[in-house]
């Protein structure tokens, strides 16, 4: 009987070394950017309590209503985290981070899980980097968060993005808008998609997000939230735009961009790329002044963003942006015979202690096969050792690109390599 072939789950992918090397490069840029904005890293568990996510993101969202990987163990309900903001907010409350004083500036990088229908740019396990500024209601924090996100893309070299921004106001502004929107939509109720009809009462703002053509036509003429912002919300939004202008960050005001949940307040933004196809959002975020109280903390204003790493990689590929140098090997030790292999094994640590990357044959293959591997791995040098070399103490030191060979003792080789 044929053996079962195990594969990854649908929508979950392995990241192999050639690809992982690009990830390391991107992660390094994210970390360097975080450092220059002085954000500290936070690593939260992959599993959270299901209730945190359903409260933190909202029962009515697609994420909570149909995309959670959740399971029970005894009394406990676990969920694979679908995003980072609720977990970071939980950590903020749990560790009384407000007592540290000032604004907490936190960033994260890690896997997230959503049982979505996989397609290009949409996976069930994907990775996000994101940042949160917790404890400031100042529009300057909104601008800094947007600047952080934009700076990562700028440093990587993705230039043709569009930053859409909007304000969803405070709860009072949103209440007024919700009523106006329902009044506008009511006569069109029967023409709306089935999904939008179910959202009409509970969460009409989500109808604005709808991808259904029949909804989009109706929504195109709907009133926009920016006309319903009260003084405070309008002022906040005006300052966010002013600070973005001051920072030289271009944006497009997109009044139909919404975050349909009650915990979201004021600023909403999304960075899109024309190189991504249907799933064109690279990242997004906004202010969530009501979330921390919702999950059991003191009322605490906060703003953050989250960006997808897979989509960033797709954009880089489309734009032919090189992501770091391909991995290379400093030295490959080619061996003939058991004694030579023993010699190699013993001498690897010395070479590695010089900071060199060193490898050898681990399968007792022919010299030819070993040389082939050294070439494939882009080795800069080979040290070739056989019985006669061990006897004479003179090894063959080969510069691969130049195809030059020298007879040298191990000490002489070390001296040559030292300045690298
Ligand atoms: P969200 O948390 O839904 O606001 O998503 C923020 C960003 O994460 C998006 O703009 C995408 O870049 C990325 N993202 C969200 N869901 C997925 C997914 N299923 N697969 C890949 N990337 C995703």
């Amino acid at each position: 009987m044929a053996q079962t072939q195990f594969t990854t789950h649908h929508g979950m992918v392995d990241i192999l070394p050639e690809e992982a090397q690009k990830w390391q490069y991107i992660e390094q840029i994210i970390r360097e950017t975080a450092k220059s904005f002085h954000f500290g890293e936070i690593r939260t568990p992959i599993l959270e309590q299901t209730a945190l996510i359903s409260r933190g993101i909202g029962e009515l969202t697609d994420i909570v209503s149909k995309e959670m990987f959740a399971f029970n163990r005894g009394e406990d309900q676990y969920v694979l985290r679908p995003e980072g903001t609720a977990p970071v907010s939980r950590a903020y409350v749990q560790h009384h981070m407000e007592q540290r004083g000032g604004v907490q500036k936190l960033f994260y990088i890690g896997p997230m899980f959503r049982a979505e229908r996989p397609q290009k740019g949409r996976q069930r396990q994907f990775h996000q980097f994101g940042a949160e500024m917790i404890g400031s209601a100042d529009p300057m924090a909104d601008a800094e968060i947007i600047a952080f996100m934009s700076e990562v893309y700028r440093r990587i070299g993705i230039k043709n993005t569009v930053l859409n921004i909007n304000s969803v106001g405070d709860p009072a502004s949103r209440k007024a808008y919700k009523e106006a929107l329902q009044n506008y939509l009511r006569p069109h109720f029967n023409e709306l998609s089935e999904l939008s009809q179910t959202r009409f009462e509970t969460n009409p703002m989500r109808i604005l997000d709808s991808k259904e053509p029949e909804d989009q036509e109706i929504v195109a003429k709907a009133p926009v939230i920016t006309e319903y912002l009260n003084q405070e919300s309008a002022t906040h939004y005006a300052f966010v735009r002013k600070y973005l202008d001051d920072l030289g960050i271009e944006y497009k005001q997109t009044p139909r961009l919404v975050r349909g949940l009650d915990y979201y307040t004021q600023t909403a933004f999304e960075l899109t790329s024309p190189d991504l196809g249907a799933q064109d959002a690279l990242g997004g975020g906004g202010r969530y002044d009501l979330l921390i109280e919702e999950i059991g903390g003191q009322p605490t204003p906060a703003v953050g963003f989250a960006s997808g790493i897979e989509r960033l990689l797709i954009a880089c590929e489309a734009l032919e942006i090189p992501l770091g140098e391909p991995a290379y090997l400093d030295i490959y030790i080619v061996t003939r015979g058991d004694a030579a292999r023993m010699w190699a094994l013993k001498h690897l640590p010395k070479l590695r202690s010089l900071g060199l990357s060193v490898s050898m044959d681990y399968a007792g293959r022919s010299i030819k096969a070993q040389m082939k591997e050294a070439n494939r791995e882009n080795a800069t040098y080979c040290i070739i050792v056989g019985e006669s070399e061990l006897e004479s103490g003179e090894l063959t030191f080969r510069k691969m690109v130049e195809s030059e060979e020298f007879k040298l003792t191990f000490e002489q080789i070390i001296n040559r390599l030292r300045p690298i």
Side-chain angles (χ1 to χ4, degrees):
M1 209 172 77
Q3 284 279 323
T4 312
Q5 275 263 299
F6 293 111
T7 58
T8 51
H9 279 295
H10 196 39
M12 301 196 176
V13 302
D14 297 313
I15 301 167
L16 303 182
E18 312 77 71
E19 199 61 14
Q21 174 262 323
K22 297 179 192 164
W23 284 71
Q24 287 169 13
Y25 173 80
I26 291 203
E27 285 167 6
Q28 190 188 339
I29 291 186
I30 296 165
R31 288 177 196 286
E32 283 165 5
T33 310
K35 194 164 175 222
S36 57
F37 279 73
H38 195 56
F39 277 63
E41 184 177 1
I42 180 160
R43 301 187 187 198
T44 61
I46 305 279
L47 293 172
E48 290 282 352
Q49 290 183 28
T50 307
L52 168 75
I53 301 301
S54 42
R55 281 238 222 128
I57 307 178
E59 302 280 359
L60 299 172
T61 56
D62 288 351
I63 295 181
V64 171
S65 62
K66 52 186 189 202
E67 296 169 1
M68 289 204 294
F69 284 104
F71 61 94
N72 295 351
R73 252 184 95 83
E75 299 283 283
D76 298 319
Q77 298 188 319
Y78 294 83
V79 62
L80 276 90
R81 62 180 187 195
E83 55 100 59
T85 302
V88 171
S89 301
R90 185 227 6 97
Y92 177 90
V93 175
Q94 182 174 340
H95 303 289
H96 306 288
M97 291 179 82
E98 74 287 350
Q99 290 173 6
R100 298 174 177 214
V103 178
Q104 295 304 307
K105 297 161 69 181
L106 303 165
F107 84 98
Y108 59 84
I109 305 177
M112 306 292 165
F113 303 83
R114 297 181 195 173
E116 297 195 80
R117 196 147 49 89
Q119 62 181 81
K120 185 167 186 199
R122 204 206 262 163
Q123 295 175 187
R124 291 185 161 186
Q125 175 174 339
F126 60 100
H127 297 75
Q128 286 185 337
F129 66 96
E132 319 288 351
M133 274 175 95
I134 306 180
S136 170
D138 194 314
M140 215 171 254
D142 308 38
E144 275 282 89
I145 277 289
I146 293 173
F148 181 161
M149 181 176 82
S150 307
E151 180 63 7
V152 171
Y153 293 97
R154 196 194 66 77
R155 290 190 187 190
I156 290 171
I158 298 179
K159 298 208 178 80
N160 56 346
T161 53
V162 179
L163 174 67
N164 297 289
I165 64 166
N166 192 25
S167 171
V168 295
D170 60 3
S173 307
R174 228 175 12 249
K175 186 161 178 282
Y177 176 63
K178 194 173 157 180
E179 272 171 31
L181 184 61
Q182 281 172 326
N183 287 342
Y184 164 80
L185 291 173
R186 199 164 282 115
H188 301 284
F189 185 84
N190 291 331
E191 301 151 49
L192 289 171
S193 70
E194 210 173 307
L195 181 61
S196 291
Q197 288 185 355
T198 64
R199 288 172 169 164
F200 179 84
E201 281 304 331
T202 48
N203 204 353
M205 281 167 69
R206 286 292 309 281
I207 299 176
L208 302 176
D209 272 342
S210 169
K211 300 267 186 289
E212 305 297 329
E214 65 263 45
D215 294 334
Q216 286 182 348
E217 214 170 289
I218 298 166
V219 158
K221 298 196 194 86
V224 293
I225 190 158
T226 32
E227 288 165 14
Y228 291 82
L229 297 180
N230 57 19
Q231 186 64 44
E232 202 191 324
S233 298
T235 305
H236 185 97
Y237 188 32
F239 270 106
V240 172
R241 297 193 312 262
K242 178 192 177 320
Y243 295 146
L244 290 176
D245 291 337
D246 293 344
L247 287 165
I249 296 174
E250 285 179 30
Y251 54 85
K252 184 171 149 208
Q253 291 187 64
T254 309
R256 279 179 234 290
L257 175 69
V258 291
R259 309 228 115 200
L261 279 172
D262 290 349
Y263 327 127
Y264 291 108
T265 48
Q266 313 293 7
T267 319
F269 56 89
E270 191 166 71
L271 191 72
T272 59
S273 160
D275 299 306
L276 287 180
Q279 302 297 321
D280 70 345
L282 281 167
R287 194 162 258 295
Y288 50 94
D289 290 348
L290 306 174
L291 172 67
I292 292 184
E293 189 179 7
E294 180 65 32
I295 61 164
Q298 293 299 315
T300 310
V303 59
F305 80 85
S307 276
I309 299 184
E310 283 81 2
R311 292 196 196 165
L312 196 162
L313 286 164
I314 294 172
C316 288
E317 197 170 323
L319 295 168
E320 295 179 9
I321 295 172
L323 298 175
E325 303 288 322
Y328 66 93
L329 180 64
D330 291 313
I331 301 171
Y332 188 97
I333 306 185
V334 176
T335 52
R336 190 194 297 118
D338 284 346
R341 296 184 76 223
M342 296 289 270
W343 180 93
L345 189 72
K346 278 196 211 137
H347 288 76
L348 291 172
K350 175 70 191 166
L351 294 165
R352 288 180 180 144
S353 73
L354 299 175
L356 301 166
S357 66
V358 192
S359 195
M360 62 176 278
D361 167 57
Y362 299 103
R365 288 168 307 171
S366 69
I367 299 258
K368 197 171 155 208
Q370 293 182 49
M371 291 303 290
K372 223 167 149 184
E373 182 177 12
N375 274 317
R376 197 172 55 236
E377 298 298 322
N378 285 327
T380 312
Y381 305 106
C382 274
I383 297 175
I384 303 164
V385 196
E387 257 157 46
S388 58
E389 282 86 353
L390 287 182
E391 252 166 49
S392 67
E394 297 232 301
L395 316 171
T396 305
F397 180 67
R398 182 181 173 88
K399 285 179 157 179
M400 298 299 279
V401 175
E402 297 85 348
S403 299
E404 279 182 281
E405 286 189 0
F406 307 89
K407 286 280 179 197
L408 298 171
T409 64
F410 187 62
E411 280 312 309
Q412 287 169 328
I413 291 174
I414 297 271
N415 286 337
R416 281 209 174 204
L417 293 171
R418 223 173 229 132
I420 292 180

